[in-house]
Amino acid sequence: MKTDFQLLKTLKSRFYMQSIQTKMKLLIFSGVLIFSVTHLYGENSDEIFKKNCSSCHTIGGGRLVGSDLKGITSKRTEEWLLKWTKSSQTLIKSGDAEAKRISDEFGGLIMPDQLLSDNDIKSIFAYIASKGDNPSSASVTSAVSNTSDNATESDIQKGKFIFEGIQRLSNHGPACISCHNINYKGVLEGGLLAKDLTDVFSRMGGDAGLRGILGAPPFPAMTESYKYHPITDEEIGYIIAFLNKVDKDKENQKVSSFNPLLYGGGGGVVGLLIIYWLLWFGRKKYTVKKEIFNRQLESI
Amino acid sequence: MDIRSQVSMVFHLDKCIGCHTCSIACKNIWTDRKGAEYMWWNNVETKPGTGYPTKWEDQEIYKGGWEKNGDSVSLKGAGKFKGLKNIFHNPHLPVLDDYYEPWTYKYQDLFTAPEGDDQPTARPISLVTGEHIDVKAGPNWDDDMGGSPDYARQDVNLEKLTPAEQEAMFQLERMTFHYLPRICNHCLNPACVAACPSGAIYKRGEDGVVLINQERCRAWRMCVTACPYKKSYYNWNTGKSEKCVLCYPRLESGQAPACFHSCVGRIRYLGVMLYDADKIEKVAASSDDQLVDNHLDIYLDPFDPAVVEQAKLNGIADSTIEAAQKSPVYKFVKVWKLALPLHPEFRTLPNLFYVPALLPTMATVQDGIYDSTSKSLWNGVDKNRLPMKYLASLFSAGNTDKIVDVMKRLMAVRLHRRGVTTGDISKEEISSAMDEVNINADMADAIFRLTSLATFDERFVIPPAHREESIEMLENTADVKGNTGFGFKERPVRGL
């Protein structure tokens, strides 16, 4: 009996031990699994959001350049969000009424196409969803106070130099003027490759918006240009200070449509043609036998 | 005085028959080459006519020659400002159509054409492009076309005449023409030399022949524009300009230039003239009415001992001075005053003089009857078929008195000789004609002799070139003394 009991006991304890080991293994496995998943959702999505979205969007922080995304996943289907994120313009053009309405609401401001994989986009929205379901109550543009309003003259001047490329960006990124134009006295006409930045300060959400854009440019060409040459925070401050000034002064900076190079060049060409014509006027242009040849041809 | 010698020429237009033998002789020797086909260093024109190149006399078209500019002269077509204004382009050049497109015929087609119903023809092909062309003009397309609307009526010299005078020249039975053979004038004040930016053109010191250095020529073609006689031609093949060389290789060996030598009518005379080079600028800048007289005054009397002495001091050889004393040109131009320069108003002081043609008197048609009778054998010069104004435009810068004087002289000689040979003219008439122009019987006979009976050596008095001396200027001939001969093929040795 005793033997049986002992045997049973042994068996029981073995079984128990075994089950504890199994449970431990399961626990560790699931712990690792959970940790890795939370890491995926937590750290990585945060980073992608910050890099790609945060320059224009907040989650619960109110409307910036684009809308506040808190609770967006409960408002829209995932399919719609995927399409919108990949190419909002294509969606608008396809005749989607909701997309059109949003575009109108934001004054036709275009959301840049995001060159992200479906998984990344999904993970971003999962990340947004994790922040809460209820749409934010702070749905109007937050009255963010712009520190650049108080910028010193020297900051503005530094920003101007950086914009014009007179002062080189410390990480060797291209100067703003190579692609952008602004109407500001004393600044040469800039490039026409990208948008005019005269009113960018108010258009793109002031300090916060510009800081987001310049810190992590969302536009494909700009992304490529500054990928390996990021603009430092200090420089961003100067540039914003300058752009703020430009925006404020834009009414006084009406650049006349008179283009001295175009009209001067055109006038010069006309003048030269007149001179050539005057020189040409007294020249021997035809053979002196022209009359003879013509008369002979007529007589045939 | 800076006395120099100049080989000068006289063409007696009364004797020219317009046969173009001179042109062909020149062409065969000098310009029968690729790029030179259109060049006629010597050509014969019909006057009235447009000449070659067409309207060459109209300097408002071609901008040749000099313009009076205060006490001096300046080129009409070239200069620093004019060059700069045209960015060194030369806009007044004659084009190929102003000359003519030279052509030949595809003679081979006559032999190689396949058998057909028609005879094979040799089509004209351009000597410039090698392509078939429709021939539109030639170098003497106005030949003998004295009354033609295309050529005679376009004569630049007619501008000096009133419309009525022009009409008179083109009435039937009144029309006339004569020939005008032309070569380079080897001017005393050559515009081509002055215009050349490369310094390629020069006037030879010993005889005044104007030549283009083919190695220095850089194809500016300023000489083509500058020469008012259009006697500098551009060779499109070699990229150099070329002009009449007065057959200097022949001159240097004592032969007359080819056109002179071959002249059928014996109209050409060649001889040395001595002139004062110091006066060139002043003479070229004379007023129009003084131009011919001053031009002829620049030539000096080779018999004047002072002139001879100065000439010798200037290095002119005795033989050249002797040639100047025998020069037929000196006689025609200076002694007999029969020859005048062609278009002296171009102010280049040309050295080719023309004895104008004493053309027949005008006939009239009255009541359908052609009337050419006159009271005497020859009418007065005022009844000349060609208006004096026309001849004055050609030979005396518009000074008709000079032409009338020459005509009266020619007429006096003719009357005198008529008196000698037939005696059917009254002595009074002859002597009054001769006295009017100060010609005595001896002079008239001399003129007659040199005009009609002159021998080869009388017509061409060519000074020795003294090449045996001139080579000493270039090489030290003593260095090669003893080296004469061709050497030996086998050295001679003594003995057998």
Side-chain angles (χ1 to χ4, degrees):
Chain A
M1 258 323 273
K2 195 194 171 197
T3 317
D4 284 346
F5 178 69
Q6 277 184 330
L7 184 74
L8 187 69
K9 209 177 174 181
T10 313
L11 277 171
K12 242 183 165 175
S13 68
R14 272 193 188 172
F15 174 71
Y16 185 69
M17 287 300 289
Q18 231 175 358
S19 71
I20 285 174
Q21 276 182 332
T22 314
K23 276 180 183 166
M24 284 292 282
K25 276 183 187 168
L26 271 170
L27 201 71
I28 291 164
F29 177 68
S30 55
V32 167
L33 200 71
I34 288 162
F35 180 78
S36 62
V37 168
T38 49
H39 179 81
L40 199 76
Y41 270 74
E43 296 260 342
N44 205 13
S45 307
D46 185 42
E47 211 169 90
I48 297 173
F49 183 85
K50 200 174 166 202
K51 197 169 168 192
N52 294 288
C53 318
S54 67
S55 50
C56 302
H57 298 283
T58 64
I59 306 171
R63 186 185 283 191
L64 208 58
V65 181
S67 59
D68 186 341
L69 295 180
K70 189 155 187 268
I72 193 76
T73 42
S74 59
K75 241 169 106 179
R76 317 246 184 251
T77 63
E78 190 180 52
E79 192 196 357
W80 190 93
L81 287 170
L82 259 175
K83 277 186 189 166
W84 174 270
T85 312
K86 278 182 169 173
S87 177
S88 57
Q89 288 303 298
T90 316
L91 192 63
I92 292 163
K93 276 176 196 154
S94 74
D96 189 289
E98 191 62 10
K100 183 88 172 58
R101 191 188 63 75
I102 296 165
S103 172
D104 290 345
E105 186 186 333
F106 285 86
L109 196 66
I110 296 163
M111 173 168 147
D113 298 352
Q114 302 299 319
L115 301 171
L116 295 166
S117 68
D118 285 9
N119 279 338
D120 281 348
I121 296 170
K122 281 175 187 166
S123 71
I124 290 169
F125 283 111
Y127 169 75
I128 294 167
S130 73
K131 297 272 176 172
D133 271 350
N134 301 323
S136 170
S137 54
S139 57
V140 283
T141 310
S142 55
V144 188
S145 63
N146 292 318
T147 51
S148 60
D149 286 346
N150 307 318
T152 62
E153 274 301 313
S154 103
D155 287 351
I156 292 168
Q157 193 66 19
K158 279 178 189 164
K160 179 170 177 277
F161 285 160
I162 290 168
F163 187 92
E164 290 176 295
I166 294 171
Q167 171 66 49
R168 195 163 189 193
L169 286 164
S170 52
N171 288 325
H172 303 297
C176 316
I177 201 168
S178 47
C179 295
H180 294 282
N181 179 50
I182 52 164
N183 286 340
Y184 192 70
K185 195 182 175 190
V187 178
L188 285 175
E189 282 183 27
L192 299 170
L193 296 169
K195 283 209 85 145
D196 187 298
L197 297 185
T198 308
D199 59 351
V200 75
F201 188 81
S202 51
R203 186 157 56 84
M204 285 296 193
D207 264 22
L210 291 182
R211 192 166 282 279
I213 290 172
L214 290 170
F219 311 105
M222 209 163 155
T223 310
E224 280 303 310
S225 304
Y226 293 98
K227 202 179 200 172
Y228 304 112
H229 312 285
I231 312 172
T232 65
D233 283 350
E234 195 190 5
E235 285 165 345
I236 289 172
Y238 296 145
I239 294 170
I240 291 170
F242 173 61
L243 290 175
N244 189 355
K245 171 87 173 156
V246 169
D247 194 20
K248 276 185 201 152
D249 285 1
K250 69 184 170 195
E251 289 308 315
N252 307 326
Q253 301 289 341
K254 289 281 182 206
V255 174
S256 86
S257 62
F258 178 76
N259 185 334
L261 198 64
L262 183 69
Y263 291 99
V269 167
V270 171
L272 280 177
L273 285 175
I274 289 170
I275 291 170
Y276 293 151
W277 179 77
L278 285 174
L279 290 175
W280 180 249
F281 196 71
R283 287 203 173 168
K284 177 175 174 293
K285 302 180 202 62
Y286 312 103
T287 169
V288 293
K289 289 200 184 107
K290 200 175 170 226
E291 280 174 39
I292 297 173
F293 292 160
N294 286 346
R295 199 196 64 78
Q296 288 173 349
L297 283 173
E298 279 166 20
S299 67
I300 291 173
Chain B
M1 277 208 292
D2 179 11
I3 296 181
R4 299 183 193 174
S5 74
Q6 170 72 46
V7 173
S8 309
M9 304 145 275
V10 164
F11 288 1
H12 200 308
L13 297 186
D14 250 345
K15 299 170 75 184
C16 182
I17 59 169
C19 63
H20 299 276
T21 308
C22 45
S23 304
I24 297 303
C26 176
K27 166 95 1 207
N28 281 342
I29 291 184
W30 296 111
T31 58
D32 195 11
R33 293 170 285 127
K34 190 181 176 190
E37 297 97 343
Y38 80 100
M39 294 182 198
W40 292 88
W41 293 358
N42 179 106
N43 72 312
V44 183
E45 289 168 9
T46 296
K47 284 283 161 193
T50 48
Y52 181 78
T54 306
K55 294 187 182 174
W56 62 270
E57 293 156 291
D58 190 346
Q59 302 313 332
E60 293 313 307
I61 297 174
Y62 293 114
K63 310 281 181 198
W66 301 90
E67 280 177 323
K68 188 168 156 59
N69 186 1
D71 288 339
S72 187
V73 284
S74 56
L75 286 170
K76 195 176 174 75
K80 281 180 181 144
F81 179 68
K82 283 167 191 159
L84 203 59
K85 206 176 75 176
N86 290 306
I87 19 178
F88 309 108
H89 174 58
N90 191 355
H92 307 293
L93 285 171
V95 294
L96 194 60
D97 267 346
D98 296 337
Y99 298 103
Y100 72 106
E101 187 161 356
W103 76 92
T104 184
Y105 295 94
K106 252 183 159 174
Y107 294 107
Q108 204 59 37
D109 284 359
L110 299 176
F111 302 100
T112 57
E115 199 177 324
D117 294 337
D118 294 320
Q119 286 190 18
T121 48
R123 297 183 85 196
I125 50 168
S126 165
L127 283 171
V128 178
T129 62
E131 305 287 318
H132 163 74
I133 56 165
D134 288 318
V135 175
K136 288 194 287 187
N140 60 338
W141 228 231
D142 57 352
D143 217 22
D144 297 354
M145 305 283 260
S148 68
D150 281 345
Y151 302 109
R153 292 242 185 199
Q154 305 283 335
D155 190 317
V156 177
N157 298 293
L158 296 179
E159 282 169 16
K160 305 273 168 62
L161 275 61
T162 63
E165 286 169 323
Q166 287 185 33
E167 275 316 301
M169 281 177 74
F170 292 100
Q171 282 174 21
L172 205 60
E173 312 298 355
R174 286 189 174 196
M175 284 177 200
T176 184
F177 66 82
H178 70 288
Y179 300 106
L180 182 75
R182 299 199 300 120
I183 66 169
C184 170
N185 292 299
H186 298 279
C187 307
L188 293 183
N189 184 30
C192 56
V193 176
C196 181
S198 309
I201 314 185
Y202 60 101
K203 189 169 174 68
R204 285 216 304 199
E206 62 268 38
D207 55 11
V209 175
V210 177
L211 297 172
I212 300 178
N213 185 336
Q214 294 291 296
E215 283 169 20
R216 290 190 69 174
C217 175
R218 292 287 174 270
W220 286 98
R221 285 172 276 176
M222 289 296 172
C223 54
V224 181
T225 299
C227 175
Y229 301 94
K230 289 288 164 283
K231 278 297 171 190
S232 180
Y233 298 87
Y234 177 68
N235 184 322
W236 53 264
N237 183 42
T238 61
K240 312 278 177 180
S241 291
E242 298 176 7
K243 64 177 284 299
C244 163
V245 295
L246 203 64
C247 288
Y248 71 85
R250 289 175 63 91
L251 275 185
E252 286 171 10
S253 51
Q255 304 170 79
C259 54
F260 287 72
H261 196 134
S262 62
C263 181
V264 173
R266 301 182 181 183
I267 76 158
R268 298 186 179 215
Y269 301 83
L270 183 137
V272 174
M273 296 279 258
L274 299 178
Y275 68 99
D276 183 1
D278 283 340
K279 283 189 188 163
I280 290 174
E281 186 178 2
K282 203 169 149 241
V283 171
S286 318
S287 60
D288 272 347
D289 53 331
Q290 298 286 310
L291 200 54
V292 181
D293 286 331
N294 287 353
H295 178 193
L296 299 184
D297 279 348
I298 203 172
Y299 300 104
L300 303 165
D301 181 0
F303 298 99
D304 183 346
V307 170
V308 172
E309 190 190 346
Q310 276 294 324
K312 283 181 179 174
L313 282 175
N314 231 6
I316 295 174
D318 288 359
S319 55
T320 304
I321 296 171
E322 199 183 314
Q325 289 169 345
K326 289 185 191 161
S327 168
V329 180
Y330 182 75
K331 287 173 190 153
F332 270 117
V333 175
K334 292 286 283 184
V335 183
W336 301 333
K337 296 182 172 62
L338 289 172
L340 295 168
L342 178 62
H343 285 298
E345 73 273 17
F346 299 157
R347 298 176 188 275
T348 61
L349 311 186
N351 287 304
L352 168 51
F353 303 91
Y354 292 87
V355 179
L358 190 63
L359 291 155
T361 52
M362 264 190 297
T364 52
V365 179
Q366 280 180 338
D367 303 327
I369 298 165
Y370 177 58
D371 178 22
S372 64
T373 54
S374 55
K375 267 192 288 181
S376 55
L377 186 59
W378 291 295
N379 255 333
V381 290
D382 51 322
K383 298 258 179 70
N384 196 311
R385 276 200 181 203
L386 273 177
M388 289 298 122
K389 268 193 198 167
Y390 179 83
L391 289 172
S393 169
L394 276 176
F395 299 117
S396 67
N399 189 343
T400 45
D401 292 348
K402 299 293 294 182
I403 302 290
V404 171
D405 185 57
V406 169
M407 289 291 166
K408 283 185 173 164
R409 286 168 169 275
L410 289 170
M411 189 59 81
V413 174
R414 237 178 239 207
L415 289 171
H416 168 73
R417 288 307 302 173
R418 181 81 186 184
V420 170
T421 50
T422 64
D424 62 354
I425 297 173
S426 72
K427 286 221 165 60
E428 291 74 36
E429 197 187 337
I430 295 169
S431 60
S432 76
M434 288 173 68
D435 289 346
E436 194 186 348
V437 289
N438 251 330
I439 286 182
N440 58 33
D442 287 345
M443 190 191 274
D445 283 335
I447 293 169
F448 160 70
R449 188 176 161 72
L450 195 60
T451 304
S452 309
L453 305 172
T455 64
F456 198 85
D457 288 337
E458 282 170 322
R459 284 184 283 135
F460 312 123
V461 183
I462 299 160
H466 296 295
R467 295 208 290 195
E468 73 284 359
E469 284 175 17
S470 55
I471 195 165
E472 288 174 4
M473 291 192 281
L474 301 169
E475 287 173 33
N476 197 346
T477 48
D479 286 352
V480 288
K481 196 175 177 190
N483 292 348
T484 50
F486 297 102
F488 294 101
K489 204 174 173 191
E490 279 177 48
R491 278 202 170 274
V493 285
R494 282 181 178 278
L496 293 168

